[in-house]
Amino acid sequence: MQPTNKEIAEAFSTGHFKMAYDYLAEDMEWNIVAETTLKGKQAVIDFCNKTAAYFATQITLFTVTNIIDDHDCIAIDGTAKFISKDNKTTHIASCDVYRFKEGKLQQLTSYCIRTNKNENE
């Protein structure tokens, strides 16, 4: 049974990228505002794999604050806390807006803002 669009979006926003890979459209576009735009399923998967490897090097804690679910459009507001091996902590606030079409993730816009300096710098 295919997960709901909300389940796919929530998994992706909390770093569980692999769960979403089968539901990415071939021509998917991911705009990470003020950083980069990824075009195509494979470019998104490559970026996710690189990001997941980075997450694995530290403690990564995600908190979902709000989810707005309009079936084919999902918005997820949340925060992330990253604690490095040398105990430096970074906080990020984020909002991801997902657009699905025919059961596939077609477009994603991510807003990520660092909300503090590393606490232990």
Side-chain angles (χ1 to χ4, degrees), residues 81-84 87-91 116-120:
K81 181 177 181 179
F82 302 99
I83 305 169
S84 67
N87 210 31
K88 291 183 180 178
T89 303
T90 302
H91 297 269
N116 70 321
K117 288 187 174 185
N118 285 341
E119 292 174 350
N120 302 317

Side-chain angles (χ1 to χ4, degrees), residues 15-34:
H16 298 100
F17 304 118
K18 285 185 181 182
M19 181 271 200
Y21 289 171
D22 288 341
Y23 309 104
L24 304 180
E26 289 298 326
D27 61 346
M28 182 192 170
E29 185 172 302
W30 183 8
N31 178 18
I32 305 170
V33 175

Side-chain angles (χ1 to χ4, degrees), residues 12 17 28-39 43-44 47-48 51 94-97 107-113:
F12 202 92
F17 304 118
M28 182 192 170
E29 185 172 302
W30 183 8
N31 178 18
I32 305 170
V33 175
E35 287 188 34
T36 192
T37 299
L38 303 163
K39 295 184 179 187
V44 171
F47 187 85
C48 288
T51 301
S94 66
C95 183
D96 296 319
V97 180
Q107 184 179 37
L108 170 56
T109 303
S110 297
Y111 302 87
C112 301
I113 301 166

Side-chain angles (χ1 to χ4, degrees), residues 4-76:
T4 65
N5 292 346
K6 178 182 171 185
E7 291 168 335
I8 295 166
E10 190 169 7
F12 202 92
S13 284
T14 57
H16 298 100
F17 304 118
K18 285 185 181 182
M19 181 271 200
Y21 289 171
D22 288 341
Y23 309 104
L24 304 180
E26 289 298 326
D27 61 346
M28 182 192 170
E29 185 172 302
W30 183 8
N31 178 18
I32 305 170
V33 175
E35 287 188 34
T36 192
T37 299
L38 303 163
K39 295 184 179 187
K41 180 178 181 174
Q42 192 57 54
V44 171
I45 289 172
D46 292 345
F47 187 85
C48 288
N49 288 338
K50 182 179 173 184
T51 301
Y54 169 74
F55 288 168
T57 67
Q58 54 195 314
I59 298 170
T60 307
L61 306 168
F62 293 99
T63 302
V64 173
T65 308
N66 293 297
I67 299 176
I68 300 170
D69 183 353
D70 190 25
H71 185 63
D72 286 336
C73 185
I74 312 289
I76 298 184

